[in-house]
Each structure stands twice: as structure tokens, then as C-alpha cells.
Amino acid sequence: MTVHLGQRLTGARREGDRVVLTTRDSHGRTHMLETDHVLAATGYRVRLDALDFLSPELRAQLAHTGGFPRLDLGLQSSVPGLYFTGIQAAATFGPLLRFTCGTEFAAPRLAGAVAQRTASG
């Protein structure tokens, strides 16, 4: 099995019992791949600027790395009182947070951080 990372899928067609994929790499070069089976990941990227329910001013205050907010151990962002869970927390805590099963990890940490913040001020 060959894995092709960093490729953007730009086309797919069936030729007989084979699949022909057209991809584009990060340098803009086009590649063709003929195969029997395909497993293509979506490559979803977190973009804080897409969270339009947060004001542009608030989003501008967020420290981030690669589109992900930087979080402390309580899942709090660089903006005091603003917490992230789910896929936005995956860069800090790992890919498990992208899924519902990550709730068992995130919920007690988030609840503890919010309770501590509430108690102290």
C-alpha cells in the first residue's frame, strides 16, 4: 500500500474495474494514480476565522498554531474564559478530541477549569 500525503484530490473516474485519480500537490503539480481501491481522507482544517459567532476582535486576540487555538491544560484559550473542545482542541490534546469519545477526557478538565475560574474570581 502506498500513502500519498499532502495531495488535493481534483478528480476521479472509473476505467473498467480500476479507479484513476487526479491530484495536485502543494507545489501545484498534477499527478495521476491508477488503482484498485481508494481511501481518501477529507483533510479538514480548523480555521478560527470561520467561527463567525465570535467577533473579529475576539478572534484576533486568540493565540493559535496552524489554525488551532493554543489551549492550556483546562482547555482555555489565550482569551480568559474562552474554552474550546472537539476538533479545535485536537492540536493541543490529540486527535481523540475530534470524536465524541474524547468527551470523557475533555469534560472533567473543562468543568474543573471553569469551576476554578469561577471560585477565584
Side-chain angles (χ1 to χ4, degrees):
M1 174 174 75
T2 304
V3 177
H4 299 272
L5 299 175
Q7 302 281 320
R8 182 174 303 272
L9 186 61
T10 59
R13 69 179 187 278
R14 184 176 181 172
E15 287 190 7
D17 61 350
R18 308 275 289 169
V19 177
V20 178
L21 301 176
T22 306
T23 63
R24 182 170 300 121
D25 65 23
S26 60
H27 301 289
R29 296 180 298 231
T30 300
H31 304 273
M32 303 288 282
L33 174 67
E34 184 177 326
T35 187
D36 295 317
H37 297 87
V38 176
L39 175 62
T42 62
Y44 179 81
R45 296 186 190 279
V46 171
R47 290 185 34 235
L48 292 175
D49 62 331
L51 300 177
D52 57 2
F53 56 88
L54 299 175
S55 72
E57 296 80 19
L58 184 63
R59 290 192 311 255
Q61 294 177 43
L62 288 168
H64 57 88
T65 302
F68 290 87
R70 286 192 207 140
L71 305 177
D72 67 16
L73 293 177
L75 292 102
Q76 182 173 224
S77 71
S78 58
V79 175
L82 181 59
Y83 299 82
F84 288 89
T85 61
I87 192 167
Q88 287 84 9
T92 303
F93 293 97
L96 186 63
L97 276 248
R98 295 171 59 177
F99 304 100
T100 304
C101 58
T103 303
E104 185 176 348
F105 172 86
R109 283 163 180 76
L110 179 59
V114 171
Q116 184 177 16
R117 180 176 171 76
T118 303
S120 66

